[in-house]
């Protein structure tokens, strides 16, 4: 916690982070299909609970755009009362992974799958928020959302579209304004400007609905835990825990490159996230992850210790309890614009272009993962991407070739590389292409890996070639 020399920096940074977090909390909640207050509750827990842990000193947690798709699908499938159970179970699973020191293994996930996951989330987020921007109820599935975009043009409320577009314009232009103005977060400026215009002109656009933070908190009852008997719900829990953990630890790696302070302890950070999500689940709120936007704002604002993120949670709580009526005048199109901008930033356009030039196979994994998320859902799409990445790695590491050396009347065929069943057809084709009529001896000493399928096939092939007496068998 802060000393006398760091409190001023941490205090100032906490105000900036809270101002960045507030519109994001509201926007993520609305996009997830839950009351806006639940997003603020998760932000408060991310500061006042997770903020105390020593896993990552400057990383800030709260509701994240990357989980909106999964949460929206879960709420639609199982109902809002079940959300707390799912988040609680995911938090306990994260806690267990942290205790078992599994945090470091998340760094082994293919970066192409991660980029593909972010791209898929971004596409789904954009497709949904275009409807929110136009004040139109969105279809249930992403493909239906994409297919309905042409008809959206004729149904949209263009007053709401203008407000949302103005919010996006502010976010795009804000990094280019003078540095003394950028002390105020662009997301807050965009939402505040859209709200002011809507109020001054009396525009009849849909507003954020608020019932009060304390009224929105609804701990799950015993009956709600019955949802865990569903295989689909268990899959959702696993998806929530894995995706939240991966996003948190990838964010931690990025934040560590932004400052010179203590590095992240991955297992402790995973435990912190597990505790935070368990508390969110007990409050019936949204799940949390570490959020790179807030974390970067925290570092750039001059934070020195974890006290800044704890104080940011206190600011969120104060605002939500003391001034909840201010949220009721915010047009829904404004946070939709914030999330549209966030969804666009999730699309790794430069990464795809770079991978296509240098590692085309990785680019294919990225594009397949993103497409699978759009066509199916987040969990199944990531599994497809991981499966493809594993298959690609197995194929690339199973290179094998043969070398021929004539030793008198005998042809020595040396097999070099990694001989697995994946390369067996190619290997047998190469061996069958050898000249007939020669005595052949196989030398497998150059193999780094030989599975049983290859060994059996090679022994059978050598027997057919009738080696010299006394030289039978594979060397």
């Amino acid at each position: 916690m802060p000393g006398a020399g760091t409190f001023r920096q941490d205090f100032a940074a906490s105000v900036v982070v809270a101002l960045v977090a507030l519109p994001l909390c509201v926007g993520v909640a609305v996009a997830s299909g839950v009351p806006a207050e639940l997003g603020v509750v998760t932000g408060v827990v991310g500061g006042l609970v997770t903020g105390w842990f020593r896993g990552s000193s400057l990383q800030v947690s709260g509701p994240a755009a990357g989980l909106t798709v999964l949460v929206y699908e879960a709420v639609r499938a199982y109902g809002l009362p079940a959300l707390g159970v799912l988040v609680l179970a995911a938090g306990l699973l994260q806690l267990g992974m942290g205790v078992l020191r599994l945090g470091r293994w998340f760094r082994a996930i293919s970066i192409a799958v991660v980029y593909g996951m972010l791209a898929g989330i971004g596409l789904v987020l954009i497709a949904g928020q275009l409807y929110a921007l136009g004040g139109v109820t969105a279809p249930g599935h992403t493909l239906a959302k994409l297919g309905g975009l042409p008809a959206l043009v004729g149904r949209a409320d263009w007053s709401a579209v203008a407000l949302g577009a103005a919010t996006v314009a502010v976010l795009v232009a804000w990094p280019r304004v003078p540095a003394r103005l950028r002390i105020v977060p662009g997301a807050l400026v965009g939402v505040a400007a859209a709200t002011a215009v809507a109020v001054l002109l009396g525009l009849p656009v849909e507003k954020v609905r608020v019932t009060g933070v304390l009224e929105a908190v609804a701990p799950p009852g015993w009956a709600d835990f019955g949802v865990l008997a569903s295989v689909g719900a268990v899959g959702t829990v696993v998806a929530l825990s894995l995706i939240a953990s991966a996003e948190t630890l990838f964010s931690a790696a990025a934040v560590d490159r932004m400052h010179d302070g203590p590095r992240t302890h991955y297992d402790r950070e995973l435990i912190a996230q597990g505790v935070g999500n368990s508390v969110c689940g007990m409050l019936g709120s949204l799940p949390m992850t570490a959020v790179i936007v807030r974390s970067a704002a925290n570092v750039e604002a001059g934070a020195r210790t974890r006290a800044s993120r704890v104080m940011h949670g206190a600011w969120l709580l104060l605002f939500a309890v003391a001034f909840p009526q201010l949220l009721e005048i915010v047009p829904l199109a404004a946070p939709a614009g914030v999330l549209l901008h966030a969804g666009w930033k999730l699309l790794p356009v430069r990464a795809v272009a770079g991978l296509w030039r240098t590692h085309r196979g990785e680019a294919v994994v990225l594009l397949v993962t993103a497409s699978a998320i759009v066509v199916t859902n987040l969990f199944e799409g990531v599994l497809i991407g991981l499966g493809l990445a594993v298959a690609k790695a197995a194929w690339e590491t199973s290179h094998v070739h043969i070398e021929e050396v004539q030793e008198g009347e005998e042809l020595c065929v040396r097999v070099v590389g990694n001989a697995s069943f994946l390369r067996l057809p190619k290997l047998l084709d190469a061996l069958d292409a050898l000249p007939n009529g020669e005595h052949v001896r196989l030398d497998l000493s150059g193999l780094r890996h030989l599975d049983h399928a290859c060994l059996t096939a090679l022994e059978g092939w050598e027997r057919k070639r009738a080696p010299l007496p006394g030289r039978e068998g594979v060397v």
Side-chain angles (χ1 to χ4, degrees):
M1 295 307 287
T6 61
F7 178 79
R8 180 180 298 176
Q9 295 96 320
D10 290 330
F11 182 85
S14 72
V15 176
V16 173
V17 176
L19 294 176
V20 171
L22 186 60
L24 290 175
C25 288
V26 173
V28 169
V30 172
S32 301
V34 304
E37 300 89 338
L38 292 184
V40 179
V41 171
T42 298
V44 171
V45 174
L48 296 183
V49 177
T50 306
W52 284 95
F53 286 79
R54 294 178 177 271
S56 177
S57 59
L58 300 182
Q59 186 162 249
V60 183
S61 300
L67 292 177
T68 54
V69 178
L70 191 56
V71 172
Y72 180 85
E73 293 173 352
V75 171
R76 188 178 61 174
Y78 307 109
L80 183 58
L83 178 61
V85 174
L86 300 176
V87 175
L88 173 59
L92 293 175
L93 184 56
Q94 283 184 296
L95 187 58
M97 290 190 294
V99 171
L100 294 175
R101 301 175 63 84
L102 300 180
R104 68 195 70 180
W105 288 100
F106 281 88
R107 290 179 287 180
I109 298 177
S110 166
I111 192 66
V113 175
V114 176
Y115 280 141
M117 179 186 73
L118 295 177
I121 290 170
L123 291 171
V124 175
L125 193 59
I126 290 171
Q129 292 311 299
L130 285 173
Y131 287 84
L133 194 74
V136 177
T137 301
H141 196 274
T142 303
L143 291 179
K145 291 185 178 76
L146 295 174
L149 289 179
L152 176 62
V153 176
R155 300 166 55 201
D157 180 346
W158 287 98
S159 297
V161 171
L163 293 174
T167 304
V168 174
V170 170
L171 288 169
V172 172
W174 202 246
R176 299 175 176 84
V177 304
R180 64 179 181 275
L181 297 179
R182 291 202 304 270
I183 191 172
V184 182
L188 183 66
V189 173
V191 172
T195 302
V197 171
V199 171
L200 291 175
L201 299 182
L203 298 179
V205 293
E206 191 172 358
K207 307 291 198 307
V208 173
R209 296 184 180 91
V210 178
T211 59
V213 172
L214 297 180
E215 291 80 0
V217 171
W222 288 112
D224 298 323
F225 284 85
V227 71
L228 295 178
S230 165
V231 175
V234 173
T236 298
V237 169
V238 174
L240 280 173
S241 61
L242 293 181
I243 294 171
S245 300
E247 186 169 344
T248 291
L249 299 182
F250 294 141
S251 172
V255 173
D256 281 349
R257 290 194 288 268
M258 297 178 184
H259 66 89
D260 299 324
R263 305 294 91 179
T264 297
H265 189 293
Y266 284 86
D267 296 318
R268 288 178 185 169
E269 182 64 12
L270 199 54
I271 290 173
Q273 295 293 320
V275 172
N277 273 319
S278 298
V279 174
C280 286
M282 289 187 285
L283 297 176
S285 186
L286 288 170
M288 74 167 61
T289 73
V291 185
I292 189 62
V293 175
R294 300 175 205 184
S295 303
N298 192 39
V299 174
E300 292 169 2
R304 293 292 181 267
T305 72
R306 66 186 189 278
S308 62
R309 57 187 190 175
V310 175
M311 286 189 284
H312 119 274
W315 286 117
L316 287 177
L317 179 61
L318 176 64
F319 183 89
V321 172
F323 310 107
Q325 64 275 13
L326 289 181
L327 296 177
E328 295 181 325
I329 63 174
V330 176
L332 277 177
V338 172
L339 289 178
L340 270 176
H341 184 258
W344 174 257
K345 292 180 70 175
L346 287 175
L347 301 182
V349 179
R350 292 182 180 177
V352 173
L355 287 175
W356 190 259
R357 289 192 300 267
T358 58
H359 300 87
R360 192 156 294 184
E362 292 291 295
V364 170
V365 172
L366 188 158
L367 294 172
V368 168
T369 303
S371 302
I373 290 172
V374 172
V375 173
T376 58
N377 56 56
L378 187 59
F379 183 52
E380 294 177 7
V382 170
L383 288 182
I384 291 171
L386 286 173
L388 182 59
V390 170
K392 172 181 170 293
W395 181 260
E396 290 181 345
T397 56
S398 61
H399 290 297
V400 63
H401 67 277
I402 63 174
E403 301 172 352
E404 304 172 35
V405 178
Q406 191 70 43
E407 298 177 351
E409 298 182 6
E410 186 178 63
L411 178 65
C412 176
V413 177
R414 189 166 186 262
V415 185
V416 181
N418 297 281
S420 72
F421 69 93
L422 293 172
R423 295 287 181 169
L424 185 55
K426 178 180 178 180
L427 179 59
L428 291 177
D429 287 343
L431 292 174
D432 289 337
L434 294 173
N436 290 320
E438 288 193 79
H439 295 291
V440 175
R441 175 173 62 88
L442 281 180
D443 180 3
L444 306 185
S445 60
L447 286 174
R448 294 187 295 272
H449 171 74
L450 176 66
D451 66 13
H452 183 264
C454 278
L455 177 61
T456 303
L458 291 175
E459 288 177 337
W461 181 89
E462 190 182 37
R463 283 194 296 271
K464 290 180 183 178
R465 295 301 297 259
L468 291 171
R471 300 295 298 273
E472 291 87 352
V474 177
V475 177

